Amino acid sequence: EVQLVESGGGLVQAGGSPTLSCEASGYYFDDYAIGWARQIPGKKREGSSCINPRDGYTWYSDSVKGRFTVSSDNAKETASLHMTNVDPEDAATYYCTVLNACTSTRVSLADIWGQGTQVTVSS
């Protein structure tokens, strides 16, 4: 059974650089990509980023590209999302998912998610 656990959320000052983590288990980590999505209160969940642990390929949405960086620690079966210059628009619950490929479509269609970790931004 695939299990995904997000962590690292909390209260962050505007302009800060928090890092979120996604611990994955229940499958061969290197065979699947890890995607990140966020859900702002009152809005639909939106894909933000993705990484293929095997070759390091990444994808980012326009809203986070250049500010967020996704990485993986294959030995620990963990993916991280490093957020830089965060602003109040980034306040949301962040979720991770497992998928076959890093594309906007794949992240959007994913239906397996962790419980999420909430990021609150103070200004």
Side-chain angles (χ1 to χ4, degrees), residues 27-40:
Y27 69 100
Y28 187 53
F29 185 82
D30 290 356
D31 281 351
Y32 298 92
I34 295 290
W36 286 93
R38 65 185 184 182
Q39 187 165 28
I40 298 171

Side-chain angles (χ1 to χ4, degrees), residues 24-104:
S25 62
Y27 69 100
Y28 187 53
F29 185 82
D30 290 356
D31 281 351
Y32 298 92
I34 295 290
W36 286 93
R38 65 185 184 182
Q39 187 165 28
I40 298 171
K43 298 183 179 181
K44 297 173 60 177
R45 184 171 57 204
E46 58 181 13
S48 295
S49 61
C50 184
I51 184 169
N52 186 324
R54 183 173 296 279
D55 58 14
Y57 178 84
T58 58
W59 166 83
Y60 299 93
S61 68
D62 291 340
S63 63
V64 308
K65 191 174 184 179
R67 298 189 301 119
F68 293 4
T69 302
V70 63
S71 62
S72 66
D73 186 331
N74 296 4
K76 296 182 179 180
E77 299 186 334
T78 301
S80 297
L81 182 66
H82 182 57
M83 309 163 65
T84 61
N85 194 28
V86 68
D87 61 48
E89 296 295 328
D90 296 315
T93 299
Y94 286 76
Y95 302 87
C96 63
T97 185
V98 59
L99 59 160
N100 292 323
C102 283
T103 67
S104 177

Side-chain angles (χ1 to χ4, degrees), residues 6 16 60 109 115 117 122:
E6 302 93 336
Y60 299 93
L109 294 177
Q115 83 289 346
T117 184
S122 63

